[in-house]
Amino acid sequence: MDIIEKTLRNLSYGLYLIGAEDGGRPCGCIVNTVFQVTSENPIIATSMNKDNYTWELMKKNRRFSVSILSEKTRKEVIQKLGFSSSKDHDKYEGIEYTMQDGLPILKEECSGGLICNIVSVTETPTHMVVLASVEKAIEITNNIPMTYRYYHEVIRGGAPKNAPSYIAPEKQSKPTSGERWVCTVCGYIYEGDLTKEPDDYTCPLCGVDKSNFVKQEDTKAASSASTQKWVCKVCGYIYEGDLTKEPDDYTCPLCGVDKSNFIREE
């Protein structure tokens, strides 16, 4: 990590859902940059990656919503909304939200919501910086707004590749000993004796109960293919095994991209 990257990590961020509308269908994505620019006739600013489908909808409709995530917003909600594209997925399925003036406002323990109209856009090499007037505010809860530091250090969440503060995952050292249990739904790895966890233990990544975990046998006779690791370039998910044997339509269980977005970890 160079000095610029290290210093930029000390900038303060929050966590927000930018909502958009696609023919009546709610869409959106998670961002970490929304801030107030003026107090009178309030103007806010945000930034959107040019490749995001949400940006296409914002540009088309000239309107968007902001949902302010709180420390009580579930991690799995953030992952579902932040690691896949609205173009290919119904990101709001199973998530509590409401439509306000044709735009989605998240109700998953959020601290508040805004309805905004775009007034100007500035282009950068990768992102569009958007200034917007606040048309309406929606009060939801008095929960403490989630900071980006809280998301990373307490919730242990990652950032998708399109995020302005994305940092590529560092290689993990192999555990020296202990059992490993793999969640069959999302691939999360639990290190230790899972049988000692209470019956109501759930996967911290996707929320399923511990009956969905299988013990990963550690054997010296394992083939070299079984020790391969493939890393998703978009969200950092690690696939263990020979990814080339997966069907062509295999997708990352965390963010939904196809297997062409994986690189082998040497």
Side-chain angles (χ1 to χ4, degrees), residues 222-257:
S223 65
S224 59
S226 66
T227 59
Q228 292 180 19
K229 287 188 176 182
W230 297 75
V231 182
C232 176
K233 296 184 294 183
V234 177
C235 69
Y237 171 78
I238 297 177
Y239 176 98
E240 295 191 350
D242 188 354
L243 184 64
T244 63
K245 293 183 178 179
E246 292 286 354
D248 292 340
D249 60 355
Y250 172 85
T251 58
C252 174
L254 186 57
C255 68
V257 298

Side-chain angles (χ1 to χ4, degrees), residues 7-183:
T7 303
L8 286 174
R9 295 199 77 181
N10 290 325
L11 291 175
S12 179
Y13 300 92
L15 215 60
Y16 314 91
L17 171 66
I18 300 296
E21 177 266 337
D22 183 13
R25 182 174 69 96
C27 297
C29 66
I30 299 291
V31 303
N32 60 17
T33 307
V34 174
F35 58 92
Q36 186 174 348
V37 177
T38 66
S39 57
E40 187 176 350
N41 299 318
I43 299 291
I44 65 164
T46 186
S47 68
M48 296 292 299
N49 191 286
K50 295 178 183 179
D51 294 333
N52 280 2
Y53 186 62
T54 300
W55 164 242
E56 292 184 28
L57 300 175
M58 292 169 63
K59 180 170 58 174
K60 175 183 176 182
N61 300 322
R62 306 296 294 178
R63 301 175 72 240
F64 63 94
S65 62
V66 177
S67 299
I68 306 169
L69 277 58
S70 82
E71 292 182 356
K72 293 185 178 180
T73 303
R74 294 180 292 143
K75 178 181 179 180
E76 52 267 34
V77 169
I78 300 171
Q79 290 171 326
K80 183 173 183 180
L81 293 167
F83 288 93
S84 60
S85 173
S86 292
K87 190 173 185 178
D88 308 311
H89 297 80
D90 181 2
K91 298 172 88 169
Y92 289 79
E93 182 181 5
I95 292 177
E96 190 176 0
Y97 71 96
T98 183
M99 296 298 288
Q100 295 279 344
D101 297 339
L103 292 166
I105 293 290
L106 191 65
K107 295 179 66 179
E108 292 277 352
E109 297 288 355
C110 287
S111 299
L114 302 170
I115 303 296
C116 305
N117 295 313
I118 295 176
V119 295
S120 68
V121 177
T122 300
E123 185 174 5
T124 75
T126 60
H127 285 66
M128 307 300 290
V129 179
V130 179
L131 294 179
S133 61
V134 177
E135 175 185 316
K136 179 188 291 187
I138 299 97
E139 186 176 6
I140 302 177
T141 72
N142 291 320
N143 293 338
I144 299 172
M146 184 182 296
T147 64
Y148 208 45
R149 180 178 293 275
Y150 184 94
Y151 171 65
H152 282 292
E153 296 183 357
V154 179
I155 296 182
R156 299 292 182 182
K161 193 175 182 182
N162 280 354
S165 57
Y166 171 78
I167 296 176
E170 297 180 0
K171 292 184 177 181
Q172 301 293 319
S173 59
K174 294 183 178 179
T176 56
S177 62
E179 299 178 3
R180 289 160 64 91
W181 297 74
V182 182
C183 175

